[in-house]
Amino acid sequence: MTNYDGLLSKAVNSINPLMIFCNLSSNFYQIISYSDSVINTSVAFMGNFDSFISNLGESIANPACKKAFLEQFDRNTLLERIKTDESAQLIQFPYTFAEDKEQWIEIQMIFVSPDSDTKNVEAILLGKNINEEKRKEGERKRNEEFLGMLANEYSNVYSVDLDSEEFFTFNYSERISQKIGDTVKSKIPFYEALKIYAGKCTFEDDKEDFLRHCTKDYLIDQLSAKDRFTHRYRNESNQYCEMKCVKIGDWSKERIVVFGFAVKDAEIRREIKAQKDLKEAKE
């Protein structure tokens, strides 16, 4: 049986959503990983390579791209290429999805046979959605920029997966390090960490309300309607603090929230005083 791990290590250094093992000599393919962001046509898990290429070619809307794809990935043509020691075949083409949105797809074939023996030509077919890749890269850059701004404004910043309750610490203050440093560094569920934080770092009268604003149901309810919200509370020293929660990425795939915490006592007390003065003036 073919060693897929060995093939993958030769074939790719970065993740491609679509990975297909091919034996061109025996006209066989088997899907290793599949993504409908690359191909949204129903395909069998394994089968005849010629039929697979033919079906994929038929789903390419652009006639010129269809012709180029079918010519370049013709199995006999590929078997000839291995004789000249050419290591890969790559083509980019527009693929029309069901909703008629044209997406550019890149399909690459890398030969992984140990030599040019055409009796046993093995290869890995890799595919990725270039539009999706660019969108994710843009989103990643925006998220990094936002996290940088958030870290400048908030002394404690955490990224949380709401469903698994796993969290990653971007930065935390010396005060938090002294109070609950072990908790911040631990792998306990985020809500359990918040309970410890509330017990040691929030004002007694504000604990219950603080935890209510951090529950999974409350967060999902708030962030389904908007991208972010803030909640104010007092810490154990009766200083006013602010918690900001921001929805990150595509929630249809994973529900990631970034939490920012900071002491904003002077700022919030000024706002409270201004509101009190305004109310008294109206009376």
Side-chain angles (χ1 to χ4, degrees), residues 126-142:
L126 306 172
K128 60 184 176 182
N129 185 313
I130 300 171
N131 295 68
E132 182 72 5
E133 194 173 64
K134 288 181 178 178
R135 184 192 68 78
K136 287 183 177 179
E137 178 63 17
E139 184 178 272
R140 183 187 64 79
K141 288 182 178 179
R142 288 193 298 273

Side-chain angles (χ1 to χ4, degrees), residues 219 223 227-230 243-247 257-260:
L219 290 166
L223 295 175
D227 290 334
R228 63 195 66 186
F229 75 90
T230 58
M243 175 184 73
K244 176 173 281 189
C245 301
V246 183
K247 176 168 63 176
V257 176
V258 172
F259 286 75

Side-chain angles (χ1 to χ4, degrees), residues 166-220:
E166 293 179 336
F167 69 95
F168 175 79
T169 303
F170 286 98
N171 65 290
Y172 58 97
S173 65
E174 182 62 29
R175 167 179 160 266
I176 292 300
S177 178
Q178 293 174 356
K179 288 280 186 179
I180 57 168
D182 291 341
T183 300
V184 170
K185 298 172 186 176
S186 72
K187 297 295 183 180
I188 66 172
F190 184 67
Y191 195 66
E192 293 302 314
L194 279 175
K195 288 179 180 178
I196 295 172
Y197 172 83
K200 296 185 176 182
C201 303
T202 64
F203 196 65
E204 185 63 36
D205 292 347
D206 292 355
K207 287 179 184 178
E208 184 177 342
D209 190 51
F210 170 81
L211 289 173
R212 183 179 67 83
H213 281 79
C214 298
T215 62
K216 178 180 175 180
D217 289 344
Y218 184 85
L219 290 166
I220 291 173

Side-chain angles (χ1 to χ4, degrees), residues 36-55:
D36 58 12
S37 71
V38 182
I39 300 174
N40 72 336
T41 302
S42 177
V43 293
F45 176 70
M46 66 176 68
N48 181 284
F49 177 82
D50 289 342
S51 296
F52 171 76
I53 292 297
S54 176
N55 291 336

Side-chain angles (χ1 to χ4, degrees), residues 236-264:
E236 77 284 1
S237 301
N238 200 22
Q239 294 175 304
Y240 280 99
C241 301
E242 182 174 275
M243 175 184 73
K244 176 173 281 189
C245 301
V246 183
K247 176 168 63 176
I248 296 293
D250 183 359
W251 265 29
S252 66
K253 296 179 180 178
E254 55 182 357
R255 293 187 284 204
I256 304 297
V257 176
V258 172
F259 286 75
F261 300 86
V263 176
K264 295 193 173 185

Side-chain angles (χ1 to χ4, degrees), residues 86-147:
E86 295 190 53
S87 60
Q89 178 79 292
L90 183 146
I91 188 170
Q92 295 178 345
F93 59 91
Y95 183 99
T96 302
F97 282 86
E99 61 269 28
D100 295 328
K101 292 183 179 179
E102 190 175 83
Q103 303 279 329
W104 276 89
I105 305 299
E106 178 182 288
I107 300 291
Q108 178 180 19
M109 175 168 280
I110 300 177
F111 297 118
V112 292
S113 296
D115 51 45
S116 59
D117 178 12
T118 56
K119 295 180 180 179
N120 188 38
V121 178
E122 295 176 337
I124 293 290
L125 193 71
L126 306 172
K128 60 184 176 182
N129 185 313
I130 300 171
N131 295 68
E132 182 72 5
E133 194 173 64
K134 288 181 178 178
R135 184 192 68 78
K136 287 183 177 179
E137 178 63 17
E139 184 178 272
R140 183 187 64 79
K141 288 182 178 179
R142 288 193 298 273
N143 289 343
E144 285 181 352
E145 291 171 358
F146 174 75
L147 286 171

